């Protein structure tokens, strides 16, 4: 999506292009005067500007556009005689169409937010953005499942809550394009709209204040320069303040440094506690020095790992603490290996999320994901602290799956096997491992039905070099058609191991890992 500097450039060029050069009182000349005035040019800069030439040829063009970024609301508040108040936004910038462009795909941060939302870890997402990329990411990952509620107009807040709730308090471009009568006035951009937003939007304001009062806030890509945002946080502080210090911090910014508007917000919310003795430590605690893409990817990997560790801990409480710690180490090593081999790019994140969704769908259903039901399947639909209350997790083979991943991670850490190369075949399993005896595809089956369907759905053939890790006891072997060229000889090509049976023989991790290794025969 175009950034604010690009918007400023577009406005300068558009207004200049419509000036009647022979008319000193041209309405577009007057509007251009006002826009440039908000950039605060010096006398010399004014003198260098020639309205008869395109602004992109001006020596001060880049400087003016850069300064207008921090005055974007005043710039968009400039009116043109004879036109609607939102003329610059609606007609010049064509914002509704530009910010709802269906050709623009979600980026890494939108995909990570969607996956976190499906994991129940991003339940409240207020956004000042007009685009629909978060919604589009959830449509891709969740398919037609009712995961998200989007609130734009006041009445939207009456709809039933869903696993994740997106509050587009500055409006939505896609909705404005589809229904301009209702949603065009809700596109907030001009200074007067921002200044009067709280008074004009009491319902949405109260919803957001309640979120600020009850939940710590992580800000992604938001400078907090708008007065309505500052006002919301100040109002929340007056109702029930967060005090310093708290862990985690009540307010955090994903930035390289705390900016002036963000520091102003900290002053508003901490007030007397933001003083000479605490000022430096508050700034430090509020700063997360990572931008949205790598931060959200890290959070996703963290959430997945902690959920799997929770499953090991709660699913098998009799395992000794020292052995649980080793299993947790295995999961951590696997997580770190993934992190080291994935970048925070849209392609890498989409590939990772697709592989996770594929693994979870095969585990549960013995099938591949499809667009209708979404490409991603979460470890659990609830956040970590609520997982224990989900009765289906214990019966779904998830705890055994977590143990199996722990053992795979320990084996990777100790050099018993390595991650195999990806394959372009339609049935590469969850992932590939390479050991002393060669490479094998790894499948997980949460129950007997999923195990059977791996074969009936054509994902597993008799002559595949493959390991099927069953959460439950091994089912009666099924005949599988050898539909592919033969793999290794001298070994049973498809090896099957039951985590349930392994644990029944003993949960001491070193012995457990050795027996697992013998079964998978890598």
């Amino acid at each position: 999506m175009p950034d604010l500097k690009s918007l400023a450039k577009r406005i300068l060029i558009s207004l200049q292009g419509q000036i009647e050069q022979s008319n000193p009182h041209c309405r577009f000349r007057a509007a251009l005067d006002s826009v440039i005035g908000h950039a605060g040019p010096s006398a010399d800069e004014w003198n260098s500007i020639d309205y008869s030439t395109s602004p992109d040829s001006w020596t001060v063009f880049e400087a003016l556009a850069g300064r207008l970024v921090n005055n974007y609301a005043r710039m968009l508040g400039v009116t043109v005689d004879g036109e609607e108040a939102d003329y610059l936004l609606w007609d010049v910038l064509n914002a509704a169409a530009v910010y709802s462009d269906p050709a623009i795909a979600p980026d890494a941060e939108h995909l990570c937010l969607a996956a976190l939302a499906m994991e129940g870890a991003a339940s409240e997402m207020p956004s000042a953005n007009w685009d629909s990329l978060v919604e589009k990411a959830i449509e891709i990952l969740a398919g037609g499942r009712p995961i998200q509620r989007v609130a734009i107009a006041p009445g939207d807040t009456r709809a039933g809550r869903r696993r994740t709730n997106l509050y587009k308090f500055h409006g939505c471009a896609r909705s404005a394009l589809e229904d301009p009568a209702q949603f065009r006035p809700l596109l907030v951009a001009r200074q007067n709209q921002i200044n009067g937003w709280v008074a004009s939007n009491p319902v949405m304001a109260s919803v957001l204040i309640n979120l600020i009062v009850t939940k710590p806030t992580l800000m992604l890509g938001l400078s907090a320069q708008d007065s309505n945002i500052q006002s919301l946080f100040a109002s929340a502080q007056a109702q029930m303040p967060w005090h310093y210090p708290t862990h985690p911090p009540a307010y955090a910014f994903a930035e390289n440094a705390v900016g002036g508007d963000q520091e102003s917000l900290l002053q508003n919310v901490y007030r007397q506690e933001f003083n000479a003795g605490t000022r430096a430590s508050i700034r430090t605690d509020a700063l997360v020095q990572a931008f949205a893409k790598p931060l959200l990817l890290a959070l996703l990997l963290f959430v997945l790992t902690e959920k799997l560790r929770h499953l090991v801990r709660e699913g098998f409480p009799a395992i000794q603490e020292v052995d649980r710690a080793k299993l947790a180490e295995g999961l951590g090593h696997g997580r770190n290996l993934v992190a080291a081999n994935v970048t925070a790019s849209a392609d890498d994140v989409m590939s990772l999320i697709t592989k996770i969704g594929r693994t979870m769908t095969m585990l549960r259903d013995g099938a591949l994901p499809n667009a209708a039901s979404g490409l991603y399947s979460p470890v659990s639909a609830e956040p970590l602290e609520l997982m224990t209350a989900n009765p289906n997790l214990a019966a779904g083979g998830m705890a055994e799956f977590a143990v199996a991943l722990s053992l795979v991670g320990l084996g990777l850490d100790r050099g018993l096997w390595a991650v195999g190369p990806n394959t372009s075949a339609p049935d590469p399993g969850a992932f590939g491992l390479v050991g002393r005896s060669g490479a094998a595809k790894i499948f997980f089956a949460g129950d007997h039905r999923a195990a059977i369907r791996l074969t009936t759905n054509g994902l597993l053939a008799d002559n595949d070099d493959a390991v099927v890790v069953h959460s439950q006891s091994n089912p009666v072997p099924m005949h599988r058609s050898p539909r592919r060229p033969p793999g290794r000889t001298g070994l049973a090509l498809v090896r099957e191991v039951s985590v349930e049976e392994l644990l029944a023989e003993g949960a001491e991790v070193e012995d457990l890992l050795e027996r697992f290794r013998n079964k998978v025969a890598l």
Side-chain angles (χ1 to χ4, degrees), residues 36 39 109 173-174 184 259 277 313 390 397 454 463 484 507-508 520:
I36 294 174
E109 63 267 45
R174 185 164 68 181
R184 177 177 173 178
R313 184 171 60 251
N390 184 343
L454 287 174
N463 58 345
R484 286 179 272 278
E508 194 277 322
V520 301

Side-chain angles (χ1 to χ4, degrees), residues 108 111 297 341-354:
L111 295 167
L297 177 56
N341 287 278
V342 65
T343 67
S345 67
D347 287 344
D348 272 13
V349 170
M350 190 68 225
S351 176
L352 174 65
I353 287 174
T354 301

Side-chain angles (χ1 to χ4, degrees), residues 7-27:
L7 299 186
K9 291 178 177 180
R10 189 166 169 180
I11 286 174
L12 291 170
I13 291 171
S14 176
L15 290 176
Q16 184 276 333
Q18 297 181 79
I19 291 176
E20 300 173 41
Q21 296 295 335
S22 61
N23 180 4
H25 304 294
C26 173
R27 57 187 180 138

Side-chain angles (χ1 to χ4, degrees), residues 123-339:
S123 59
E124 313 293 342
M125 294 193 285
S127 175
N129 291 347
W130 300 317
D131 66 71
S132 298
L133 293 176
V134 170
E135 299 98 304
K136 190 180 293 187
I138 289 181
E139 289 165 7
I140 294 170
L141 269 57
R145 288 177 284 177
I147 300 296
Q148 183 177 56
R149 178 187 70 166
V150 181
I152 306 163
D156 297 336
T157 60
R158 286 179 171 168
R161 288 178 52 76
R162 292 186 175 176
R163 197 181 311 172
T164 185
N165 300 272
L166 177 64
Y167 306 92
K168 302 183 78 167
F169 60 93
H170 277 184
C172 173
R174 185 164 68 181
S175 297
L177 190 66
E178 293 171 352
D179 186 357
Q182 180 180 3
F183 291 103
R184 177 177 173 178
L186 299 181
L187 287 178
V188 175
R190 307 188 305 277
Q191 190 67 48
N192 67 303
Q193 289 178 300
I194 292 171
N195 290 341
W197 186 89
V198 173
S200 302
N201 294 271
V203 173
M204 188 68 78
S206 65
V207 169
L208 298 183
I209 289 170
N210 179 65
L211 290 179
I212 297 166
V213 165
T214 56
K215 296 178 182 294
T217 299
L218 170 64
M219 287 194 180
L220 303 168
L222 184 67
S223 68
Q225 67 173 286
D226 294 340
S227 60
N228 63 330
I229 294 173
Q230 295 278 344
S231 176
L232 288 170
F233 280 87
S235 298
Q237 195 278 345
Q239 291 187 18
M240 187 169 70
W242 293 87
H243 294 290
Y244 183 82
T246 59
H247 183 76
Y251 309 98
F253 311 104
E255 296 286 354
N256 254 347
V258 174
D261 293 306
Q262 293 159 340
E263 178 152 338
S264 176
L265 186 148
L266 293 174
Q267 291 173 352
N268 282 335
V269 296
Y270 286 123
R271 297 193 180 180
Q272 287 80 12
E273 294 178 16
F274 192 86
N275 54 48
T278 62
R279 201 174 295 136
S281 57
I282 287 177
R283 287 196 204 101
T284 300
D285 286 353
L287 185 62
V288 182
Q289 284 190 298
F291 291 129
K293 287 181 175 65
L295 176 59
L296 290 171
L297 177 56
L299 282 173
L300 177 59
L301 294 174
F302 173 82
V303 166
L304 294 172
T305 305
E306 291 307 303
K307 284 190 171 188
L308 292 168
R309 286 173 171 170
H310 175 88
L311 286 166
V312 173
R313 184 171 60 251
E314 297 298 317
F316 303 100
I319 294 180
Q320 296 296 311
E321 186 60 39
V322 63
D323 293 308
R324 274 207 302 271
K326 288 181 180 179
L327 293 173
E329 286 177 16
L331 289 169
H333 180 77
R335 175 203 61 203
N336 294 345
L337 191 62
V338 170

